[in-house]
Amino acid sequence: PTSWISDRCCVENNRGDAEERKREIRGRLFRVFVPPCFRDQFMKPVVLITGASQGIGAAIATVFAQEISGVRLALVARNAKNLAAVARGCAKLGATAEVFPCDVTDEASVVALAAAVRKRFGAVDVLINNAGKFEGAPLSEMRVAQFDRLIAANLRSVFLMSRAFVPAMAKRGRGDVFNMSSIAGLDA
């Protein structure tokens, strides 16, 4: 298992078949990440997901594509090849999925990303700050550069992305932001 959701589901569901487990995970993701106002199939929200090239980010994108007809997905990560594969999968499910390769720890890159997403889709309705990094090491052995990378990926990226997209949500009086974290932080 690669996430707390998949780990928890696997522990709870050691019995049953794999398809049933997938349905349960999809249902949990849907209940957590799809705001009630977008569960109406006539809405076509713009959903931006960072860290969308793999793991939980790719799973979240797939759930939106499966559950909301016509959803418009802005998929963001550094790995353009993996992002393209996720986008193709979401498009097969009926979503409009665009790939936006970006290092979300870099201010200039995030400013350019915001302009590109606005040009392609207009306003973002749901921002999911999912990008993150974990490099475990005891405090006495962790290098400053390693610490800086962790802070940039796990904190600075949330600040930069929120600063780029939340003001437009506030101005419109609507929008949802989800900030992801990892259970690995409990071991830090």
Side-chain angles (χ1 to χ4, degrees):
T2 59
S3 71
W4 71 270
I5 291 175
S6 62
D7 183 43
R8 195 161 131 209
C9 289
C10 290
V11 169
E12 292 172 0
N13 293 314
N14 275 333
R15 63 208 177 280
D17 66 356
E19 284 306 310
E20 186 174 322
R21 281 191 295 250
K22 285 181 186 177
R23 279 191 300 276
E24 183 171 337
I25 291 168
R26 190 174 77 222
R28 286 182 183 192
L29 286 171
F30 180 72
R31 287 187 302 277
V32 170
F33 290 107
V34 181
C37 63
F38 297 129
R39 293 180 188 166
D40 175 355
Q41 292 299 308
F42 297 107
M43 295 293 296
K44 293 184 180 180
V46 175
V47 179
L48 189 151
I49 306 165
T50 67
S53 63
Q54 63 185 3
I56 294 173
I60 293 168
T62 301
V63 167
F64 271 101
Q66 288 172 329
E67 302 295 337
I68 300 179
S69 178
V71 68
R72 297 171 293 161
L73 299 172
L75 304 177
V76 179
R78 291 174 297 160
N79 188 319
K81 182 180 175 183
N82 287 1
L83 272 178
V86 173
R88 282 191 302 275
C90 291
K92 286 180 184 176
L93 296 169
T96 299
E98 293 290 331
V99 170
F100 296 90
C102 179
D103 176 356
V104 295
T105 68
D106 180 72
E107 182 179 12
S109 296
V110 170
V111 169
L113 167 70
V117 170
R118 275 193 293 275
K119 182 177 180 180
R120 173 64 177 96
F121 289 125
V124 169
D125 298 299
V126 179
L127 169 61
I128 301 175
N129 289 311
N130 175 66
K133 180 182 217 74
F134 180 72
E135 296 180 31
L139 178 67
S140 61
E141 296 173 21
M142 183 175 276
R143 298 180 321 270
V144 171
Q146 205 176 357
F147 175 79
D148 289 342
R149 284 192 304 272
L150 290 173
I151 292 298
N154 298 324
L155 184 60
R156 179 185 170 94
S157 65
V158 171
F159 168 74
L160 292 174
M161 292 297 294
S162 297
R163 189 176 70 170
F165 292 98
V166 170
M169 291 177 179
K171 186 176 180 179
R172 288 189 339 267
R174 63 183 168 83
D176 292 283
V177 178
F178 296 90
N179 296 318
M180 304 296 290
S181 64
S182 172
I183 196 167
L186 296 176
D187 294 331

